[in-house]
Amino acid sequence: GVRRRELQVLCVGLDNSGKTTIVNHLKPASAQSQDIVPTIGFSVEKFTTASLSLTVFDMSGQGRYRNLWEHYYREAQAVIFVVDSSDRLRMVVAKEELDSLLAHPDVSGRRVPLLVFANKMDLKESLSSVACSSLLGLQEVHQSPWHIVASNALKGEGLQEGVEWLQDQIR
Ligand code: GTP
Ligand code: MG
């Protein structure tokens, strides 16, 4: 059979940003669920893509569950950080959460490729990936490679580009 590289990915970001919708879309069609509800705590998803055998920790973004994220930092070989690009008011909160992730002792000294999805690009009030990048302060991130992609998780747009980038970062 095909030898796939195993990869543990942590998927975080504020509630309602589209994390579960993105993870669901990355799964093989037969494994996708039809209705997506807000995540309680977290959910572990295992599936394969063309070249990866993925274990994704899809965390809840609700405030009361965000303290769970850090327990998975150590195991994470890559991070997918999702922002709702139309949620201008909470972009500053998203930045705070990203900053504390990057400063955490289980992340800060390591190379952890960071893929950011500027999701909900289909909404007319959405900000461009360049604007999101700037509001998140990504240009100040030097500890790990990062990449931002505008996405529409409902249609799957941008997701493949993101996963391909991630794949290229895995050594
Ligand atoms: P929590 O589990 O609560 O942290 O939320 P989440 O980040 O997993 O968000 P979820 O995937 O549950 O999506 C939240 C809502 O946004 C749902 O109604 C989705 O259908 C919607 N949504 C997700 N991605 C997109 C997108 O690209 N465009 C639009 N218009 N809606 C989206
Ligand atoms: Mg969710």
Side-chain angles (χ1 to χ4, degrees), residues 13-16 19 39 41 59-66 69 90:
L14 302 187
D15 48 294
N16 196 50
K19 299 176 294 298
T39 307
M59 307 301 294
S60 168
Q62 288 180 57
R64 79 187 87 145
Y65 295 120
R66 279 181 219 155
W69 297 2
R90 290 205 300 165

Side-chain angles (χ1 to χ4, degrees), residues 20 37 39 58:
T20 302
V37 295
T39 307
D58 172 21

Side-chain angles (χ1 to χ4, degrees), residues 14-21 36 38-39 60-61 119-120 122-123 152-154:
L14 302 187
D15 48 294
N16 196 50
S17 55
K19 299 176 294 298
T20 302
T21 310
I36 285 164
T39 307
S60 168
N119 194 37
K120 307 198 184 185
D122 54 296
L123 298 179
N152 171 355
L154 299 179

Side-chain angles (χ1 to χ4, degrees), residues 41 95 155-156:
K95 181 185 187 332
K155 290 193 169 171

